[in-house]
Amino acid sequence: MAVSSKLDIAVVSMVFLAQMTLGPSIENSILNLFALHSIQSPFFRPHQLVTYLFLHDPEHFAHILYNMFALWMFGAILENYWGAKRFLIFYTVCGIGAAVFHLAVLYPEMTQYVDGLQQYAPEARDMVRHHPGYGLNGVTLGASGAVFGCLAGFGYLFPNSLIYLYFFVPIKVKWFVLGYAAIELFSGISASAGDNVAHWAHLGGGLVGLLLVIYWNKSNRRNFY
């Protein structure tokens, strides 16, 4: 039985419920402590490289729904294939890899906010820097990067398995993964200012997942075609 993936889904669901019911003040405290912040932010802490995976935006229910469905669909099979311990390692490493990719892309974007602090008087600068609403302190949350790692791993191990888009259109997993990755790459390159989707986190998680599966299977050649 896929214990780890079910536990992940249960924990994410409970945290999501807490975010919805405990009120804005407590939710903001949870985000400040556990959501992923830019490394230039005063709210950044190393543990956020993992804890952000268990948080989702209560205003976007579809986000957590899609993530948990994909985790159940692909993660459970990977866990049955590997065992709970290896799957948990895989899922966590993919999530951390997604966070690192995202932070690397985010770093130059945050420079404008670091430089922008200079326009404030010295006595007000620290207050602005620690304000949750300041652009430097935006948060990233969600399991999408780790889930994309699961999708990439599944696509490598079971490339010719069929999935059904919209429950009706059959497509081999390998083409679905490649197509999804191409869309994410295009979206990441052409992202506009209003795009709040962490495309590079998705790609980073997928790449880390793919490399990890290839390493684990280096003595077992896979026939992608």
Side-chain angles (χ1 to χ4, degrees), residues 90-116:
F90 178 81
Y91 184 81
T92 304
V93 170
C94 287
I96 294 174
V100 170
F101 267 77
H102 180 65
L103 291 177
V105 172
L106 198 62
Y107 189 89
E109 296 179 12
M110 293 296 104
T111 302
Q112 60 178 315
Y113 297 107
V114 176
D115 296 340

PDB file of all heavy atoms in Angstrom, residues 90-116:
ATOM      1  N   PHE A  90      12.795  10.428  -2.846  1.00  0.00           N
ATOM      2  CA  PHE A  90      12.613  10.973  -4.193  1.00  0.00           C
ATOM      3  C   PHE A  90      11.741  12.224  -4.174  1.00  0.00           C
ATOM      4  O   PHE A  90      12.101  13.260  -4.745  1.00  0.00           O
ATOM      5  CB  PHE A  90      11.978   9.898  -5.086  1.00  0.00           C
ATOM      6  CG  PHE A  90      11.685  10.344  -6.484  1.00  0.00           C
ATOM      7  CD1 PHE A  90      12.680  10.368  -7.444  1.00  0.00           C
ATOM      8  CD2 PHE A  90      10.402  10.751  -6.849  1.00  0.00           C
ATOM      9  CE1 PHE A  90      12.411  10.779  -8.746  1.00  0.00           C
ATOM     10  CE2 PHE A  90      10.129  11.162  -8.141  1.00  0.00           C
ATOM     11  CZ  PHE A  90      11.136  11.175  -9.091  1.00  0.00           C
ATOM     12  N   TYR A  91      10.613  12.136  -3.512  1.00  0.00           N
ATOM     13  CA  TYR A  91       9.663  13.251  -3.461  1.00  0.00           C
ATOM     14  C   TYR A  91      10.297  14.477  -2.803  1.00  0.00           C
ATOM     15  O   TYR A  91      10.169  15.603  -3.299  1.00  0.00           O
ATOM     16  CB  TYR A  91       8.423  12.807  -2.686  1.00  0.00           C
ATOM     17  CG  TYR A  91       7.318  13.826  -2.621  1.00  0.00           C
ATOM     18  CD1 TYR A  91       6.436  13.984  -3.690  1.00  0.00           C
ATOM     19  CD2 TYR A  91       7.139  14.612  -1.492  1.00  0.00           C
ATOM     20  CE1 TYR A  91       5.412  14.915  -3.631  1.00  0.00           C
ATOM     21  CE2 TYR A  91       6.115  15.551  -1.426  1.00  0.00           C
ATOM     22  CZ  TYR A  91       5.254  15.689  -2.495  1.00  0.00           C
ATOM     23  OH  TYR A  91       4.245  16.616  -2.428  1.00  0.00           O
ATOM     24  N   THR A  92      11.019  14.252  -1.699  1.00  0.00           N
ATOM     25  CA  THR A  92      11.643  15.361  -0.979  1.00  0.00           C
ATOM     26  C   THR A  92      12.756  16.002  -1.798  1.00  0.00           C
ATOM     27  O   THR A  92      12.854  17.234  -1.873  1.00  0.00           O
ATOM     28  CB  THR A  92      12.193  14.879   0.371  1.00  0.00           C
ATOM     29  OG1 THR A  92      11.137  14.269   1.130  1.00  0.00           O
ATOM     30  CG2 THR A  92      12.767  16.042   1.166  1.00  0.00           C
ATOM     31  N   VAL A  93      13.595  15.176  -2.420  1.00  0.00           N
ATOM     32  CA  VAL A  93      14.699  15.707  -3.222  1.00  0.00           C
ATOM     33  C   VAL A  93      14.161  16.503  -4.415  1.00  0.00           C
ATOM     34  O   VAL A  93      14.696  17.568  -4.759  1.00  0.00           O
ATOM     35  CB  VAL A  93      15.623  14.570  -3.696  1.00  0.00           C
ATOM     36  CG1 VAL A  93      16.636  15.071  -4.724  1.00  0.00           C
ATOM     37  CG2 VAL A  93      16.350  13.959  -2.502  1.00  0.00           C
ATOM     38  N   CYS A  94      13.094  16.013  -5.041  1.00  0.00           N
ATOM     39  CA  CYS A  94      12.479  16.748  -6.150  1.00  0.00           C
ATOM     40  C   CYS A  94      11.950  18.099  -5.676  1.00  0.00           C
ATOM     41  O   CYS A  94      12.097  19.115  -6.364  1.00  0.00           O
ATOM     42  CB  CYS A  94      11.341  15.934  -6.767  1.00  0.00           C
ATOM     43  SG  CYS A  94      11.875  14.526  -7.753  1.00  0.00           S
ATOM     44  N   GLY A  95      11.318  18.101  -4.507  1.00  0.00           N
ATOM     45  CA  GLY A  95      10.796  19.356  -3.964  1.00  0.00           C
ATOM     46  C   GLY A  95      11.897  20.349  -3.659  1.00  0.00           C
ATOM     47  O   GLY A  95      11.774  21.552  -3.953  1.00  0.00           O
ATOM     48  N   ILE A  96      12.997  19.870  -3.072  1.00  0.00           N
ATOM     49  CA  ILE A  96      14.130  20.755  -2.782  1.00  0.00           C
ATOM     50  C   ILE A  96      14.754  21.248  -4.080  1.00  0.00           C
ATOM     51  O   ILE A  96      15.103  22.434  -4.209  1.00  0.00           O
ATOM     52  CB  ILE A  96      15.172  20.018  -1.919  1.00  0.00           C
ATOM     53  CG1 ILE A  96      14.589  19.713  -0.534  1.00  0.00           C
ATOM     54  CG2 ILE A  96      16.447  20.836  -1.788  1.00  0.00           C
ATOM     55  CD1 ILE A  96      15.488  18.853   0.337  1.00  0.00           C
ATOM     56  N   GLY A  97      14.905  20.351  -5.056  1.00  0.00           N
ATOM     57  CA  GLY A  97      15.458  20.758  -6.344  1.00  0.00           C
ATOM     58  C   GLY A  97      14.612  21.817  -7.020  1.00  0.00           C
ATOM     59  O   GLY A  97      15.135  22.783  -7.587  1.00  0.00           O
ATOM     60  N   ALA A  98      13.293  21.653  -6.955  1.00  0.00           N
ATOM     61  CA  ALA A  98      12.387  22.653  -7.526  1.00  0.00           C
ATOM     62  C   ALA A  98      12.571  23.997  -6.841  1.00  0.00           C
ATOM     63  O   ALA A  98      12.596  25.055  -7.496  1.00  0.00           O
ATOM     64  CB  ALA A  98      10.946  22.172  -7.383  1.00  0.00           C
ATOM     65  N   ALA A  99      12.717  23.980  -5.519  1.00  0.00           N
ATOM     66  CA  ALA A  99      12.903  25.223  -4.762  1.00  0.00           C
ATOM     67  C   ALA A  99      14.210  25.907  -5.142  1.00  0.00           C
ATOM     68  O   ALA A  99      14.253  27.136  -5.311  1.00  0.00           O
ATOM     69  CB  ALA A  99      12.870  24.925  -3.267  1.00  0.00           C
ATOM     70  N   VAL A 100      15.277  25.138  -5.283  1.00  0.00           N
ATOM     71  CA  VAL A 100      16.579  25.714  -5.630  1.00  0.00           C
ATOM     72  C   VAL A 100      16.537  26.350  -7.016  1.00  0.00           C
ATOM     73  O   VAL A 100      17.048  27.466  -7.221  1.00  0.00           O
ATOM     74  CB  VAL A 100      17.679  24.630  -5.555  1.00  0.00           C
ATOM     75  CG1 VAL A 100      18.989  25.145  -6.135  1.00  0.00           C
ATOM     76  CG2 VAL A 100      17.880  24.180  -4.104  1.00  0.00           C
ATOM     77  N   PHE A 101      15.945  25.670  -7.982  1.00  0.00           N
ATOM     78  CA  PHE A 101      15.803  26.236  -9.328  1.00  0.00           C
ATOM     79  C   PHE A 101      15.011  27.539  -9.272  1.00  0.00           C
ATOM     80  O   PHE A 101      15.377  28.539  -9.902  1.00  0.00           O
ATOM     81  CB  PHE A 101      15.103  25.234 -10.251  1.00  0.00           C
ATOM     82  CG  PHE A 101      16.038  24.360 -11.020  1.00  0.00           C
ATOM     83  CD1 PHE A 101      16.675  23.288 -10.404  1.00  0.00           C
ATOM     84  CD2 PHE A 101      16.302  24.594 -12.357  1.00  0.00           C
ATOM     85  CE1 PHE A 101      17.538  22.467 -11.101  1.00  0.00           C
ATOM     86  CE2 PHE A 101      17.165  23.779 -13.071  1.00  0.00           C
ATOM     87  CZ  PHE A 101      17.789  22.712 -12.442  1.00  0.00           C
ATOM     88  N   HIS A 102      13.913  27.515  -8.526  1.00  0.00           N
ATOM     89  CA  HIS A 102      13.062  28.693  -8.433  1.00  0.00           C
ATOM     90  C   HIS A 102      13.808  29.860  -7.787  1.00  0.00           C
ATOM     91  O   HIS A 102      13.731  30.998  -8.264  1.00  0.00           O
ATOM     92  CB  HIS A 102      11.813  28.352  -7.631  1.00  0.00           C
ATOM     93  CG  HIS A 102      10.866  29.498  -7.465  1.00  0.00           C
ATOM     94  ND1 HIS A 102      10.203  30.089  -8.525  1.00  0.00           N
ATOM     95  CD2 HIS A 102      10.474  30.190  -6.355  1.00  0.00           C
ATOM     96  CE1 HIS A 102       9.439  31.068  -8.091  1.00  0.00           C
ATOM     97  NE2 HIS A 102       9.594  31.153  -6.774  1.00  0.00           N
ATOM     98  N   LEU A 103      14.534  29.588  -6.723  1.00  0.00           N
ATOM     99  CA  LEU A 103      15.264  30.652  -6.037  1.00  0.00           C
ATOM    100  C   LEU A 103      16.362  31.231  -6.921  1.00  0.00           C
ATOM    101  O   LEU A 103      16.632  32.441  -6.878  1.00  0.00           O
ATOM    102  CB  LEU A 103      15.866  30.123  -4.733  1.00  0.00           C
ATOM    103  CG  LEU A 103      14.869  29.770  -3.620  1.00  0.00           C
ATOM    104  CD1 LEU A 103      15.604  29.202  -2.422  1.00  0.00           C
ATOM    105  CD2 LEU A 103      14.038  30.985  -3.224  1.00  0.00           C
ATOM    106  N   ALA A 104      16.996  30.380  -7.721  1.00  0.00           N
ATOM    107  CA  ALA A 104      18.042  30.856  -8.626  1.00  0.00           C
ATOM    108  C   ALA A 104      17.473  31.820  -9.664  1.00  0.00           C
ATOM    109  O   ALA A 104      18.081  32.851  -9.985  1.00  0.00           O
ATOM    110  CB  ALA A 104      18.720  29.674  -9.314  1.00  0.00           C
ATOM    111  N   VAL A 105      16.286  31.501 -10.195  1.00  0.00           N
ATOM    112  CA  VAL A 105      15.637  32.375 -11.170  1.00  0.00           C
ATOM    113  C   VAL A 105      15.110  33.631 -10.487  1.00  0.00           C
ATOM    114  O   VAL A 105      15.141  34.735 -11.054  1.00  0.00           O
ATOM    115  CB  VAL A 105      14.485  31.621 -11.873  1.00  0.00           C
ATOM    116  CG1 VAL A 105      13.674  32.564 -12.760  1.00  0.00           C
ATOM    117  CG2 VAL A 105      15.040  30.467 -12.699  1.00  0.00           C
ATOM    118  N   LEU A 106      14.656  33.469  -9.256  1.00  0.00           N
ATOM    119  CA  LEU A 106      14.055  34.586  -8.523  1.00  0.00           C
ATOM    120  C   LEU A 106      15.086  35.618  -8.075  1.00  0.00           C
ATOM    121  O   LEU A 106      14.757  36.803  -7.940  1.00  0.00           O
ATOM    122  CB  LEU A 106      13.321  34.037  -7.292  1.00  0.00           C
ATOM    123  CG  LEU A 106      12.276  34.917  -6.611  1.00  0.00           C
ATOM    124  CD1 LEU A 106      11.127  35.228  -7.565  1.00  0.00           C
ATOM    125  CD2 LEU A 106      11.752  34.230  -5.349  1.00  0.00           C
ATOM    126  N   TYR A 107      16.320  35.173  -7.855  1.00  0.00           N
ATOM    127  CA  TYR A 107      17.335  36.051  -7.268  1.00  0.00           C
ATOM    128  C   TYR A 107      17.517  37.363  -8.037  1.00  0.00           C
ATOM    129  O   TYR A 107      17.431  38.446  -7.433  1.00  0.00           O
ATOM    130  CB  TYR A 107      18.671  35.306  -7.158  1.00  0.00           C
ATOM    131  CG  TYR A 107      19.720  36.058  -6.379  1.00  0.00           C
ATOM    132  CD1 TYR A 107      19.822  35.895  -4.999  1.00  0.00           C
ATOM    133  CD2 TYR A 107      20.592  36.940  -7.016  1.00  0.00           C
ATOM    134  CE1 TYR A 107      20.775  36.594  -4.277  1.00  0.00           C
ATOM    135  CE2 TYR A 107      21.545  37.641  -6.300  1.00  0.00           C
ATOM    136  CZ  TYR A 107      21.635  37.471  -4.926  1.00  0.00           C
ATOM    137  OH  TYR A 107      22.565  38.166  -4.211  1.00  0.00           O
ATOM    138  N   PRO A 108      17.773  37.348  -9.347  1.00  0.00           N
ATOM    139  CA  PRO A 108      17.939  38.634 -10.051  1.00  0.00           C
ATOM    140  C   PRO A 108      16.661  39.471 -10.079  1.00  0.00           C
ATOM    141  O   PRO A 108      16.723  40.711 -10.115  1.00  0.00           O
ATOM    142  CB  PRO A 108      18.368  38.218 -11.458  1.00  0.00           C
ATOM    143  CG  PRO A 108      17.941  36.800 -11.600  1.00  0.00           C
ATOM    144  CD  PRO A 108      18.019  36.198 -10.237  1.00  0.00           C
ATOM    145  N   GLU A 109      15.493  38.814 -10.045  1.00  0.00           N
ATOM    146  CA  GLU A 109      14.235  39.555 -10.048  1.00  0.00           C
ATOM    147  C   GLU A 109      14.053  40.333  -8.748  1.00  0.00           C
ATOM    148  O   GLU A 109      13.419  41.402  -8.735  1.00  0.00           O
ATOM    149  CB  GLU A 109      13.050  38.609 -10.243  1.00  0.00           C
ATOM    150  CG  GLU A 109      13.043  37.896 -11.588  1.00  0.00           C
ATOM    151  CD  GLU A 109      11.859  36.955 -11.725  1.00  0.00           C
ATOM    152  OE1 GLU A 109      10.944  37.028 -10.885  1.00  0.00           O
ATOM    153  OE2 GLU A 109      11.855  36.148 -12.673  1.00  0.00           O
ATOM    154  N   MET A 110      14.584  39.808  -7.656  1.00  0.00           N
ATOM    155  CA  MET A 110      14.425  40.452  -6.357  1.00  0.00           C
ATOM    156  C   MET A 110      15.414  41.598  -6.134  1.00  0.00           C
ATOM    157  O   MET A 110      15.262  42.377  -5.195  1.00  0.00           O
ATOM    158  CB  MET A 110      14.579  39.430  -5.236  1.00  0.00           C
ATOM    159  CG  MET A 110      13.467  38.391  -5.173  1.00  0.00           C
ATOM    160  SD  MET A 110      11.834  39.112  -4.790  1.00  0.00           S
ATOM    161  CE  MET A 110      11.061  39.069  -6.438  1.00  0.00           C
ATOM    162  N   THR A 111      16.410  41.703  -7.010  1.00  0.00           N
ATOM    163  CA  THR A 111      17.422  42.744  -6.844  1.00  0.00           C
ATOM    164  C   THR A 111      16.806  44.136  -6.872  1.00  0.00           C
ATOM    165  O   THR A 111      17.242  45.045  -6.150  1.00  0.00           O
ATOM    166  CB  THR A 111      18.491  42.623  -7.940  1.00  0.00           C
ATOM    167  OG1 THR A 111      19.082  41.323  -7.881  1.00  0.00           O
ATOM    168  CG2 THR A 111      19.576  43.671  -7.772  1.00  0.00           C
ATOM    169  N   GLN A 112      15.755  44.312  -7.677  1.00  0.00           N
ATOM    170  CA  GLN A 112      15.112  45.620  -7.754  1.00  0.00           C
ATOM    171  C   GLN A 112      14.516  46.041  -6.422  1.00  0.00           C
ATOM    172  O   GLN A 112      14.520  47.223  -6.071  1.00  0.00           O
ATOM    173  CB  GLN A 112      14.025  45.617  -8.828  1.00  0.00           C
ATOM    174  CG  GLN A 112      12.921  44.598  -8.575  1.00  0.00           C
ATOM    175  CD  GLN A 112      11.835  44.636  -9.625  1.00  0.00           C
ATOM    176  OE1 GLN A 112      11.362  45.714 -10.014  1.00  0.00           O
ATOM    177  NE2 GLN A 112      11.425  43.458 -10.105  1.00  0.00           N
ATOM    178  N   TYR A 113      14.011  45.058  -5.667  1.00  0.00           N
ATOM    179  CA  TYR A 113      13.429  45.376  -4.366  1.00  0.00           C
ATOM    180  C   TYR A 113      14.506  45.644  -3.319  1.00  0.00           C
ATOM    181  O   TYR A 113      14.332  46.484  -2.429  1.00  0.00           O
ATOM    182  CB  TYR A 113      12.517  44.245  -3.905  1.00  0.00           C
ATOM    183  CG  TYR A 113      11.331  44.043  -4.814  1.00  0.00           C
ATOM    184  CD1 TYR A 113      11.256  42.940  -5.663  1.00  0.00           C
ATOM    185  CD2 TYR A 113      10.288  44.974  -4.849  1.00  0.00           C
ATOM    186  CE1 TYR A 113      10.177  42.759  -6.507  1.00  0.00           C
ATOM    187  CE2 TYR A 113       9.207  44.796  -5.698  1.00  0.00           C
ATOM    188  CZ  TYR A 113       9.157  43.690  -6.528  1.00  0.00           C
ATOM    189  OH  TYR A 113       8.083  43.524  -7.372  1.00  0.00           O
ATOM    190  N   VAL A 114      15.622  44.926  -3.425  1.00  0.00           N
ATOM    191  CA  VAL A 114      16.743  45.196  -2.524  1.00  0.00           C
ATOM    192  C   VAL A 114      17.271  46.600  -2.771  1.00  0.00           C
ATOM    193  O   VAL A 114      17.495  47.379  -1.832  1.00  0.00           O
ATOM    194  CB  VAL A 114      17.855  44.153  -2.721  1.00  0.00           C
ATOM    195  CG1 VAL A 114      19.069  44.496  -1.862  1.00  0.00           C
ATOM    196  CG2 VAL A 114      17.350  42.755  -2.375  1.00  0.00           C
ATOM    197  N   ASP A 115      17.457  46.954  -4.050  1.00  0.00           N
ATOM    198  CA  ASP A 115      17.926  48.291  -4.398  1.00  0.00           C
ATOM    199  C   ASP A 115      16.888  49.354  -4.042  1.00  0.00           C
ATOM    200  O   ASP A 115      17.241  50.487  -3.667  1.00  0.00           O
ATOM    201  CB  ASP A 115      18.255  48.371  -5.890  1.00  0.00           C
ATOM    202  CG  ASP A 115      19.408  47.458  -6.281  1.00  0.00           C
ATOM    203  OD1 ASP A 115      20.177  47.073  -5.390  1.00  0.00           O
ATOM    204  OD2 ASP A 115      19.519  47.133  -7.484  1.00  0.00           O
ATOM    205  N   GLY A 116      15.611  48.986  -4.156  1.00  0.00           N
ATOM    206  CA  GLY A 116      14.545  49.945  -3.879  1.00  0.00           C
ATOM    207  C   GLY A 116      14.475  50.386  -2.435  1.00  0.00           C
ATOM    208  O   GLY A 116      13.900  51.439  -2.120  1.00  0.00           O
TER     209      GLY A 116
END
